[in-house]
């Protein structure tokens, strides 16, 4: 039986490995916790994958020349490699993994393990890699009581009843993250309330130091989310004005203390002035003033401030034609471009709204030119089936990364911008809102682990395809059986399109129950008391975001602005995001909009039926526990997808009065 707690690091026996002699000794000559962990990981992996005994030991520099065989870990500070990069080479019976710094060696070790785990030949090795993005972070929305905001895989692995948890899982979590190149972790929810505000104090710092030390051994920096009103809530001050000298002094003291405990502490993630969180607006200060105040104080310690752009007024009146939440991020942050210190990074959600199944790319990406940027994606499946439905999200992120913003002549894709290539920045990258909890398999749905794995892989190498990543993950997790690879790849690759089909059509978004956001509710948008956000009436549906409407399209560079502006050139999958369209409008397929809505909802359910067939065919070929767990979830997905189909279709049937052209029963 497989060890599900180890996820893709469960190290199954790999048949037919002829290299056993070469791979039974690991040598290293640099005493560093990261190198020791790299050697230990290789030892565990190679022992299990080959079913032979493998040992690791320290040698003196130069000794490697005399060794007959083995895997040799080397740190060469003068190497031409990039920071965090590595080189893997083979000379006769020796494999060398070289890094400029220890983390490079660790990533190289995991690369070698992945090659072997995926059944690749290691006969000739000449690999050189460096990450696409400098920051590859996970953001956990874990609360200090142990619950997780938008968590679908049990409780927190970091907190329980206002205590910090440290156990075997802490290390396994760090191993799993490091194996896919994640190098920064924010462990607490961006909505910092109550006791979580005190995480930055002596009450918690000794335990956090222990966690940071474990993470450090895997090249991961610890970050925290911060409460902008902390000077008032725990500091006894009467205000949190970022320009007030008492407030500044208070933060100075707080940061000094943190760095006394954790010298390599990464910094803070801040959600300010949004959804009820405090921020600089209260004092008529800008986001730049708020962020820079913290950035200046943290700078001498080498820390960074990640400031979120998810700022909007959730009390807006949607009956007004010009009101548009989609415009808020750009409106709030574009005027501040160039005003942030160099150790501030703006973190931008992939779309302008909120992690819907389909959104255009946020116009801030490509809009901002003089500000460091991080692309934020949601690994946890808040709006994409809450880990009860399979929804492999890497294809979505792949599309986002490839999106051409036209911010310049070259290097203008989102991948270029967040890697720092476009505007020559070093503080940038990707962040994913984590999807894990203390469930035995980490992610609730076994197939959701592919999103965690995939987030790391694509943020390390933005040129990887979703399909390549899926295959690696299947090989590492399940088996090299061809049918297993083919069927699970098929399920994963079709899961986002299927989910999109049976939920909200053509980019309109939401249509979920307010609060928990699960299950269909067409008028359920929670920040819209009037039930008008999608503008559906008896003639059509969609938000007019062209110049005749909210004017949102103007936030894009040309030719994107014109492409979205015109109905004829607007990508169809986003048609209702950008335009109000009548039910009888003919789409490119020749179908009317209403018929498209009916058809896709039926097709989405059929796609789930197809997934179930593919999954059932694997009985006996994969671990039986995993097989059963996923079977149950697929059953629930099928029943839920039918609810979606029926509720959405009947809503539009009633609204439009137009019957299904195929005469199916619309409930
Ligand atoms: C969504 C989500 C919230 C979260 C927020 C955020 O709106 O529903 O739970 O706090 O995003 O990203 O801050």
């Amino acid at each position: 039986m497989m060890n599900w707690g180890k996820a893709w690091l469960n190290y199954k026996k790999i048949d037919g490995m002829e290299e056993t002699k070469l791979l039974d000794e690991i040598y290293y000559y640099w005493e560093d916790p990261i190198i020791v962990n790299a050697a230990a990981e290789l030892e565990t992996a190679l022992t299990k994958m080959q079913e032979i005994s493998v040992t690791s030991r320290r040698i003196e520099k130069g000794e490697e020349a005399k060794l007959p065989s083995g895997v040799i870990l080397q740190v060469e500070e003068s190497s031409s490699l990039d920071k965090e990069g590595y080189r893997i080479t083979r000379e006769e019976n020796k494999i060398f993994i070289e890094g400029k710094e220890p983390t490079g060696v660790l990533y190289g070790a995991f690369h070698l393990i992945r090659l072997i785990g995926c059944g690749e030949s290691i006969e000739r090795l000449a690999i050189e890699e460096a990450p696409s993005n400098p920051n590859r972070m996970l953001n956990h929305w874990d609360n200090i009581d142990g619950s997780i905001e938008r968590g679908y895989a049990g409780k927190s692995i970091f907190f329980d009843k206002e205590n910090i948890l440290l156990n075997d899982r802490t290390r396994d979590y760090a191993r799993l993250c490091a194996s896919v190149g994640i190098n920064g972790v924010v462990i607490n929810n961006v909505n910092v309330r109550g006791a979580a505000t005190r995480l930055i104090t002596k009450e918690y710092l000794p335990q956090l130091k222990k966690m940071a030390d474990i993470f450090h051994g895997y090249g991961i920096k610890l970050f925290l989310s911060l409460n902008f009103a902390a000077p008032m809530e725990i500091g006894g001050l009467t205000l949190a004005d970022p320009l007030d000298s008492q407030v500044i002094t208070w933060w100075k003291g707080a940061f000094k203390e943190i760095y006394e405990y954790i010298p390599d502490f990464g910094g803070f993630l801040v959600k300010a002035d949004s959804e009820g969180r405090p921020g600089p607006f209260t004092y008529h200060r800008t986001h730049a003033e708020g962020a820079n105040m913290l950035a200046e104080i943290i700078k001498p310690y080498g820390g960074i401030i990640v400031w979120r752009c998810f700022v909007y007024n959730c009390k807006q009146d949607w009956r007004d034609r010009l009101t548009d939440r989609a415009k808020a991020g750009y409106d709030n942050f574009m005027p501040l471009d160039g005003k942030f210190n160099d150790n501030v990074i703006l973190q931008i959600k992939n779309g302008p709204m909120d992690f819907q199944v389909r959104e255009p790319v946020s116009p801030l990406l490509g809009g901002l030119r003089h500000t460091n940027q991080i692309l934020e994606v949601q690994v946890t499946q808040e709006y994409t089936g809450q880990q009860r439905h399979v929804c492999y999200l890497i294809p979505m992120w792949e599309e986002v990364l490839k999106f051409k913003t036209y911010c310049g002549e070259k290097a203008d894709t989102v991948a270029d911008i967040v890697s720092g290539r476009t505007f020559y920045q070093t503080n940038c990258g990707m962040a994913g809102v984590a999807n894990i909890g203390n469930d035995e398999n980490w992610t609730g749905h076994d197939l959701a682990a592919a999103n965690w794995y995939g987030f790391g892989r694509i943020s390390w190498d933005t040129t990887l395809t979703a399909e390549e990543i899926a295959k690696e993950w299947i090989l590492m997790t399940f088996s090299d059986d061809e049918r297993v690879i083919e069927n699970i790849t098929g399920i994963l690759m079709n899961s986002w399109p299927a989910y999109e089909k049976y939920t909200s059509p053509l980019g309109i978004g939401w249509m979920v129950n307010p609060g928990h956001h699960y299950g269909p509710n067409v008028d359920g948008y929670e920040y819209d008391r009037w039930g008008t956000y999608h503008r559906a009436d008896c003639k059509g549906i969609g938000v007019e975001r062209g110049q005749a409407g909210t004017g949102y399209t103007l936030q894009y560079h040309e030719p994107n602005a014109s492409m979205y502006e015109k109905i004829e050139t607007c990508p169809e999958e986003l048609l209702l995001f950008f335009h109000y369209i009548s039910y009888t409008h003919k789409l490119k397929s020749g179908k009317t909009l209403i018929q498209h809505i009916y058809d896709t909802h039926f097709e989405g359910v059929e796609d789930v039926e197809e997934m179930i067939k593919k999954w059932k065919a694997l009985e006996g070929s994969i671990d039986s526990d995993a097989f059963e767990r996923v079977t149950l979830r697929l059953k629930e997905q099928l029943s839920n997808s039918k609810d979606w189909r029926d509720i959405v279709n009947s809503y539009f049937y009633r609204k439009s009065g137009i019957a299904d052209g195929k005469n199916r029963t619309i409930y």
Side-chain angles (χ1 to χ4, degrees):
M1 223 175 51
M2 289 178 67
N3 185 345
W4 285 102
K6 305 287 176 202
W8 57 88
L9 299 184
N10 66 57
Y11 300 140
K12 300 170 300 303
K13 161 107 174 67
I14 305 294
D15 293 326
M17 282 196 59
E18 271 102 46
E19 308 278 348
T20 44
K21 257 226 169 80
L22 158 74
L23 295 177
D24 63 357
E25 294 264 20
I26 325 283
Y27 303 101
Y28 57 96
Y29 50 73
W30 188 290
E31 201 61 63
D32 176 282
I34 300 177
I35 297 291
V36 172
N37 281 340
E41 195 67 37
L42 279 164
E43 191 180 319
T44 311
L46 295 175
T47 302
K48 291 196 176 160
M49 293 196 295
Q50 303 177 105
E51 284 187 350
I52 59 164
S53 112
V54 177
T55 53
S56 70
R57 72 179 170 89
R58 188 176 169 190
I59 54 171
E60 292 308 316
K61 196 166 182 181
E63 210 183 308
E64 70 276 9
K66 292 179 235 139
L67 299 165
S69 64
V71 181
I72 296 139
L73 310 183
Q74 300 174 305
V75 177
E76 294 298 344
E77 285 170 312
S78 61
S79 153
S80 59
L81 286 165
D82 286 341
K83 193 173 172 286
E84 297 187 298
Y86 54 85
R87 191 176 288 135
I88 309 178
T89 48
R90 171 144 183 193
E91 278 169 32
E92 296 186 354
N93 287 332
K94 291 181 231 173
I95 293 178
F96 293 90
I97 303 179
E98 180 194 335
K100 193 184 180 71
E101 49 178 53
T103 46
V105 173
L106 179 70
Y107 295 139
F110 277 115
H111 190 136
L112 181 64
I113 292 170
R114 190 166 57 242
L115 284 180
I116 298 170
C118 292
E120 300 281 329
S121 161
I122 52 165
E123 224 167 284
R124 273 187 212 96
L125 290 169
I127 294 167
E128 198 173 309
E129 282 219 14
S132 305
N133 294 302
N135 289 293
R136 306 170 303 277
M137 305 178 72
L138 278 181
N139 292 180
H140 290 264
W141 287 356
D142 292 18
N143 297 316
I144 198 162
D145 64 0
S147 63
I148 304 178
E149 180 150 344
R150 314 305 177 191
Y152 311 107
K155 300 201 117 199
S156 172
I157 62 159
F158 303 121
F159 306 108
D160 183 36
K161 299 188 193 81
E162 302 193 1
N163 291 313
I164 308 275
L165 292 177
L166 291 164
N167 52 40
D168 287 352
R169 280 217 132 174
T170 322
R171 184 172 295 276
D172 279 343
Y173 166 80
R175 291 174 53 233
L176 285 159
C177 284
S179 75
V180 289
I182 288 162
N183 66 357
V185 167
V186 186
I187 57 167
N188 65 313
N189 189 359
V190 284
N191 299 311
V192 191
R193 301 186 188 98
T197 306
R198 301 200 305 270
L199 280 171
I200 57 173
T201 67
K202 270 203 185 105
E203 187 182 343
Y204 289 104
L205 287 171
Q207 289 296 91
L208 286 176
K209 181 195 163 32
K210 289 185 192 154
M211 188 183 289
D213 284 346
I214 296 172
F215 288 177
H216 174 88
Y218 290 92
I220 298 167
K221 279 194 176 176
L222 175 73
F223 288 75
L224 290 172
S225 293
L226 162 154
N227 180 346
F228 201 77
M232 296 162 78
E233 289 185 27
I234 57 171
L237 301 186
T238 53
L239 76 182
D241 181 350
L243 302 193
D244 180 272
S245 61
Q246 273 180 295
V247 171
I248 296 171
T249 308
W250 187 85
W251 281 117
K252 279 188 178 157
F255 287 8
K256 184 165 177 277
E257 195 160 81
I258 292 171
Y259 279 94
E260 273 162 15
Y261 280 89
I262 311 171
D264 70 338
F265 181 69
F268 292 101
L269 176 65
V270 190
K271 172 174 177 179
D273 290 313
S274 183
E275 297 183 336
R277 301 321 302 141
F281 282 175
T282 314
Y283 308 97
H284 308 289
R285 311 294 184 203
T286 66
H287 283 281
E289 285 168 322
N292 290 344
M293 177 271 293
L294 297 170
E296 250 163 58
I297 303 174
I298 211 167
K299 188 160 176 137
Y301 305 104
I304 56 175
I305 300 296
V306 183
W307 193 270
R308 293 179 84 227
C309 291
F310 182 66
V311 175
Y312 71 104
N313 172 8
C314 57
K315 302 205 172 102
Q316 282 172 318
D317 184 343
W318 276 77
R319 289 168 302 178
D320 169 16
R321 183 180 58 86
L322 290 175
T323 295
D324 191 357
R325 171 175 170 184
K327 281 164 50 182
Y330 191 96
D331 287 349
N332 274 304
F333 287 92
M334 273 310 283
L336 299 175
D337 190 20
K339 300 214 161 74
F340 291 93
N341 289 8
D342 63 1
N343 62 331
V344 175
I345 314 183
L346 292 189
Q347 183 162 302
I348 306 164
K349 286 192 183 183
N350 61 276
M353 298 290 259
D354 193 7
F355 299 136
Q356 299 305 291
V357 69
R358 176 76 68 172
E359 286 188 45
V361 165
S362 165
L364 275 173
L365 294 157
L368 295 168
R369 289 171 176 275
H370 310 286
T371 308
N372 302 315
Q373 295 160 63
I374 278 184
L375 166 68
E376 178 179 326
V377 296
Q378 197 179 38
V379 191
T380 194
Q381 292 172 232
E382 175 179 3
Y383 290 102
T384 49
Q386 306 202 347
Q387 280 140 257
R388 302 200 214 163
H389 299 221
V390 50
C391 191
Y392 179 56
L393 295 165
I394 322 302
M396 181 203 285
W397 306 334
E398 202 187 334
E399 270 186 34
V400 171
L401 288 164
K402 290 199 173 121
F403 180 76
K404 269 178 87 64
T405 65
Y406 295 101
C407 64
E409 305 258 293
K410 51 182 173 40
D412 67 342
T413 65
V414 171
D416 291 324
I417 295 166
V418 300
S419 72
R421 285 190 289 277
T422 312
F423 303 119
Y424 309 103
Q425 290 154 342
T426 45
N427 265 335
C428 32
M430 285 178 71
V433 181
N435 64 346
I436 68 131
N438 70 356
D439 277 0
E440 168 69 7
N441 66 357
W442 297 90
T443 49
H445 200 309
D446 288 83
L447 299 184
N451 286 331
W452 178 15
Y453 180 89
F455 169 76
R457 293 291 288 133
I458 205 162
S459 62
W460 172 276
D461 180 355
T462 50
T463 67
L464 288 172
T465 67
E467 190 159 343
E468 281 169 335
I469 294 173
K471 288 201 170 130
E472 276 180 9
W473 175 76
I474 297 163
L475 279 161
M476 296 287 288
T477 306
F478 290 103
S479 130
D480 61 357
D481 177 290
E482 263 175 38
R483 198 165 42 158
V484 171
I485 299 168
E486 196 186 312
N487 286 15
I488 302 182
T489 306
I491 292 170
L492 291 176
M493 290 304 291
N494 201 28
S495 58
W496 175 46
Y499 190 82
E500 183 177 22
K501 283 189 209 164
Y502 63 76
T503 57
S504 71
L506 303 175
I508 194 74
W510 277 281
M511 299 195 171
V512 290
N513 286 305
H516 57 69
H517 298 163
Y518 189 76
N521 181 343
V522 178
D523 288 332
Y525 181 56
E526 60 207 339
Y527 295 123
D528 174 27
R529 272 171 281 156
W530 310 275
T532 51
Y533 95 91
H534 50 47
R535 312 284 205 257
D537 58 22
C538 64
K539 295 209 171 67
I541 173 178
V543 184
E544 188 48 56
R545 293 195 158 100
Q547 292 185 47
T550 71
Y552 166 76
T553 50
L554 293 170
Q555 295 186 341
Y556 290 90
H557 294 293
E558 287 296 357
N560 286 341
S562 301
M563 173 183 73
Y564 291 136
E565 177 71 35
K566 294 194 222 86
I567 292 178
E568 308 77 60
T569 52
C570 180
E572 244 169 26
E573 68 274 13
L574 287 167
L575 197 57
L576 302 181
F577 187 93
F578 282 103
H579 296 286
Y580 174 85
I581 302 286
S582 89
Y583 295 123
T584 52
H585 170 88
K586 284 248 165 78
L587 298 176
K588 291 189 187 110
S589 61
K591 285 182 192 176
T592 59
L593 171 66
I594 190 78
Q595 194 58 41
H596 173 91
I597 293 177
Y598 293 148
D599 285 356
T600 46
H601 282 79
F602 279 101
E603 278 164 30
V605 174
E606 285 157 22
D607 288 350
V608 179
E609 280 162 350
E610 192 51 38
M611 287 181 205
I612 292 178
K613 265 196 220 145
K614 286 201 164 92
W615 185 256
K616 276 202 174 139
L618 303 182
E619 186 160 19
S621 311
I622 58 171
D623 177 84
S624 56
D625 287 349
F627 178 81
E628 290 305 329
R629 281 196 299 265
V630 174
T631 303
L632 279 178
R633 298 223 173 200
L634 284 170
K635 210 170 144 201
E636 186 183 356
Q637 181 171 0
L638 180 62
S639 132
N640 280 194
S641 66
K642 289 179 180 163
D643 287 349
W644 271 99
R645 176 194 65 194
D646 295 342
I647 289 172
V648 174
N649 278 350
S650 75
Y651 178 96
F652 286 105
Y653 173 55
R654 284 183 203 150
K655 254 235 133 113
S656 69
I658 304 173
D660 171 34
K662 296 183 182 160
N663 286 325
R664 288 161 293 199
T665 311
I666 305 260
Y667 290 96

